[in-house]
Amino acid sequence: MVTAVKAKSVACNDLDPALLVRAYRVMLLARATEDKLASLYRAGMIKGGVFLGKGQEALSTASSIFLQKGDIFGPLIRDQAGRLAFGDTVLDTFRTYLGSAKGPMRGRDGNIHRGRPREGYYAMISHLGALVPVVAGGLYARRLRGETGVVGVTSIGDGGTSTGAFHEGVNLAAVERLPLVVVVANNQYAYSTPNSRQFACADLLDKAAGYGIAGFKCDGTDPIASLETLQLAVQAAREGHGPQMVVATLLRLVGHGEHDDAGYVDAALRQANVGRDCLEVGARQLIGSDFATAEEIAVWTKETQAEVEGALNIAQREKGPDPADEDWQAISTERLVDGHHDLEDE
Amino acid sequence: MSVTYLEAIRAAQEKALTDDPRVFIYGQDVGAFGGAFKATKNLAAEFPGRVMDAPLSEDAIVGLAVGAAIEGARPIVEMQFADFSTVGFNQIVNQAATLYYRTEVPCPIVVRLPSGGTLGAGPFHSQSMEAVYAHYPGLVVMTPATVEDAYSMMLEAVAIDDPVIFCEHKLLYYHLKADKLPDTAQPVGKARIARAGRDATVVTYSAMLHESLQAAEDLLEDGWQIEVIDLRTVKPLDTDTILASVARTGRLLVVGEAWPWGGVNAEVISRVATEGFGLLDAAPMRLNARDTPVPYHPDLWAAHRPTASVIAARLRQLLTQ
Ligand SMILES: Cc1ncc(C[n+]2csc(CCOP(=O)(O)OP(=O)(O)O)c2C)c(N)n1
Ligand SMILES: [Mg+2]
């Protein structure tokens, strides 16, 4: 039942021009946000790591832009763009990196480990693969409640596909025929580990056939191709055709984290098609299709930078959590909290 | 009419499914087959679509439960044996246990762990995992020792908003019986004085309660009155009830079936030593299983875990110290 769809690489056939513009502006906003995070990191203003998705904005945006209110999105490390497209804000991004008490994680978790589960925006844990069964479970509960037409999207890297959790989660979703779209961002490396040390199948898409689910392939550096592919995949899931796997090829254009110079990346890959910057490709597509002019794109870029500065100004003025005000409680049922800790009442 | 420990667990799940449409059961062979131990017997037929066979994927089973809980469901998941929960460990301790702290969204799941040793079960179908889970913040760990508690604590496990690790002892499944299911229950989180006494306190839980009660009975022949406390939940640990008992008896023996390093026994003794040192007339003692995998052969197994006679002997030492 595998429908391997070869991405169309040039013209924008069925895609709504307004959607491409919207997607491109999300990509710009993600890039500007991440550029700012990188400079904050270099200035020593962020505690802990900074993990960016530069080069993956097109695919990430496409992952969530077709989702609607009531859908579920479980993003991972490289999904700043997809997060913004799903409704996360630049302000909450900075709040989480800076540890603001007003952010969704209230200083209890940081950086990419953020979400608002009540709004269908799940907060990843670090353990790769672990989110796949959780998003499947969200969809399972929705179906049990009688809700139809709900879709869940989650993403994973080439490395994450080697985890047991990924395998268990995709297989379970397939058995349950859940409306789950798994977006595999094959960016050629898992930290420093190349694909040759990660899997032995010819193509990660081969795995879809093994699970008995539909598979799509696209060029993740190409915004139009990514959008068209995800549109098909999300629609197929929404219409009840079970899990869909999208495998996109691309390259992360930054280190694993900002501490990493990515010196291990093969120079030839940087020069190849997978090494293209999706923002440059997107600009060419917009201008080439007469959807936007270079001047308009320059204006959007400026507006985006202003938005980022504005959000950062707010987040930087907010306080972190006060340890003295914390309840230090890991469960919600007050009467079942286990007392008698060494640090209590100090 | 009488009801077994296993029937109580089944009945509680049936009541939970009846009373609350958000409840569903997910696990290997729990559907038409009724579960490896029959703890979900007939429930799939009674509640169509709500008691479902899962693939052999403990990680995904617990992960599914967490996702479902985020969306407002109240899943009960069955691990076929507690031992296999190691494969779902990551989802339990990193996903379920951190969700509320990180996001303010509670995670009302119940993970049922058929626990503890039985004859011939060997290294991988005998484990007692309560201490491992109790170590992690964000989990409630229940260890019912009686039919009444198996029933009422299962109902409460489903009702509370936090992840519950429900350690049900396989040795108690079939032979532990009560006249009927209880109408009322002691609240979860409170220990129970299973037998009152004045000479020494035994703190225990799960199947070791019955070995300890037998030992206390044996010592009565010599005139010793042993108080036996059933912890009921190991997290939270009802330290107040333990300290109050030690204040009366001055002597403490802690008995558990799990391995010795760290664990519930160590935690109980640590709390009594730090918070009730002055109450002790003798050094506290503990009895655990031996520090090896649980052996297969019945003779080895019998010598691997504490039994009533070993507990009685240790109590005699404690009483004459
Ligand atoms: C289960 C697990 N093991 C190890 C890690 C540490 N780790 C974080 S990211 C990463 C590489 C991930 O590679 P990939 O899945 O390809 O995603 P990418 O970083 O390329 O987007 C590793 C090993 C982890 N987060 N989770
Ligand atoms: Mg990768």
Side-chain angles (χ1 to χ4, degrees), chain A residues 224-293:
Chain A
I224 291 178
S226 298
L227 287 164
E228 286 182 342
T229 306
L230 261 301
Q231 188 169 34
L232 286 173
V234 169
Q235 192 181 332
R238 206 180 293 289
E239 287 170 356
H241 300 294
Q244 314 285 316
M245 184 184 290
V246 175
V247 178
T249 31
L250 70 182
L251 195 65
R252 107 169 111 64
L253 303 180
V254 279
H256 167 61
E258 284 307 281
H259 59 278
D260 171 29
D261 69 4
Y264 45 80
V265 173
D266 184 348
L269 281 176
R270 293 186 199 275
Q271 301 310 315
N273 191 72
V274 287
R276 297 192 299 177
D277 183 343
C278 61
L279 267 109
E280 288 170 17
V281 177
R284 280 202 300 277
Q285 288 175 333
L286 283 169
I287 295 166
S289 321
D290 285 332
F291 294 164
T293 63

Side-chain angles (χ1 to χ4, degrees), chain A residues 56 76-78 126-129 156-161 163 185 187-191 198 252 256, chain B residues 90:
Chain A
Q56 303 194 191
L76 277 193
I77 332 179
R78 314 290 169 205
S126 291
H127 303 62
L128 294 171
I156 193 88
D158 38 271
T161 64
T163 62
N187 63 9
Q188 319 302 318
Y189 291 88
Y191 207 156
Q198 196 67 247
R252 107 169 111 64
H256 167 61
Chain B
N90 184 48

Side-chain angles (χ1 to χ4, degrees), chain A residues 95-253:
Chain A
R95 280 171 162 163
T96 308
Y97 268 99
L98 295 171
S100 161
K102 289 191 173 158
M105 310 311 281
R106 304 160 293 149
R108 293 180 176 196
D109 207 340
N111 50 62
I112 51 191
H113 304 95
R114 68 180 187 280
R116 293 185 182 273
R118 282 269 181 267
E119 294 159 30
Y121 173 27
Y122 289 8
M124 62 177 279
I125 64 168
S126 291
H127 303 62
L128 294 171
L131 200 50
V132 178
V134 175
V135 175
L139 295 168
Y140 187 88
R142 297 291 190 87
R143 186 168 68 192
L144 215 56
R145 273 209 311 251
E147 291 179 29
T148 51
V150 178
V151 174
V153 174
T154 191
S155 56
I156 193 88
D158 38 271
T161 64
S162 302
T163 62
F166 172 82
H167 164 71
E168 289 194 12
V170 174
N171 180 64
L172 177 144
V175 169
E176 300 290 359
R177 272 189 80 74
L178 292 167
L180 175 72
V181 179
V182 179
V183 181
V184 182
N186 178 3
N187 63 9
Q188 319 302 318
Y189 291 88
Y191 207 156
S192 76
T193 305
N195 282 351
S196 59
R197 299 293 306 159
Q198 196 67 247
F199 52 86
C201 48
D203 191 316
L204 282 174
L205 195 62
D206 295 346
K207 297 199 176 192
Y211 294 116
I213 65 174
F216 297 84
K217 195 171 182 165
C218 73
D219 177 351
T221 68
D222 179 335
I224 291 178
S226 298
L227 287 164
E228 286 182 342
T229 306
L230 261 301
Q231 188 169 34
L232 286 173
V234 169
Q235 192 181 332
R238 206 180 293 289
E239 287 170 356
H241 300 294
Q244 314 285 316
M245 184 184 290
V246 175
V247 178
T249 31
L250 70 182
L251 195 65
R252 107 169 111 64
L253 303 180

Side-chain angles (χ1 to χ4, degrees), chain B residues 57-254:
Chain B
S57 300
E58 285 77 8
D59 184 298
I61 289 169
V62 181
L64 175 136
V66 173
I70 289 172
E71 300 301 326
R74 300 214 161 228
I76 303 173
V77 296
E78 177 180 304
M79 299 282 110
Q80 202 151 70
F81 286 79
D83 313 55
F84 302 129
S85 71
T86 51
V87 183
F89 189 69
N90 184 48
Q91 297 287 1
I92 296 173
V93 304
N94 287 314
Q95 200 91 258
T98 67
L99 185 70
Y100 172 72
Y101 181 75
R102 296 168 67 236
T103 69
E104 291 182 283
V105 175
C107 188
I109 71 172
V110 180
V111 183
R112 288 185 39 234
L113 302 188
S115 302
T118 53
L119 198 68
F124 311 112
H125 293 74
S126 300
Q127 294 172 25
S128 300
M129 312 254 326
E130 61 278 358
V132 175
Y133 292 111
H135 180 71
Y136 279 83
L139 301 172
V140 173
V141 184
M142 300 186 182
T143 49
T146 66
V147 175
E148 291 80 359
D149 275 353
Y151 181 76
S152 65
M153 289 169 77
M154 170 57 70
L155 287 178
E156 198 163 345
V158 175
I160 68 173
D161 278 339
D162 296 294
V164 174
I165 307 300
F166 195 83
C167 305
E168 44 193 63
H169 204 294
K170 303 192 296 289
L171 198 63
L172 308 179
Y173 270 167
Y174 309 105
H175 77 257
L176 194 67
K177 292 191 174 90
D179 292 339
K180 60 177 182 60
L181 294 172
D183 308 317
T184 58
Q186 231 186 324
V188 158
K190 287 272 164 258
R192 179 176 68 100
I193 297 179
R195 179 187 177 109
R198 50 153 207 255
D199 298 319
T201 299
V202 175
V203 172
T204 188
Y205 58 97
S206 193
M208 284 297 137
L209 170 70
H210 305 284
E211 301 289 337
S212 302
L213 287 171
Q214 181 60 53
E217 191 63 27
D218 294 349
L219 263 74
L220 191 61
E221 286 163 21
D222 303 336
W224 296 113
Q225 293 189 19
I226 308 298
E227 182 144 302
V228 180
I229 294 180
D230 173 9
L231 288 174
R232 303 176 71 241
T233 66
V234 300
K235 192 166 192 182
L237 187 60
D238 183 0
T239 314
D240 293 343
T241 297
I242 298 168
L243 287 171
S245 175
V246 174
R248 288 190 293 274
T249 65
R251 286 180 157 75
L252 173 67
L253 170 66
V254 193

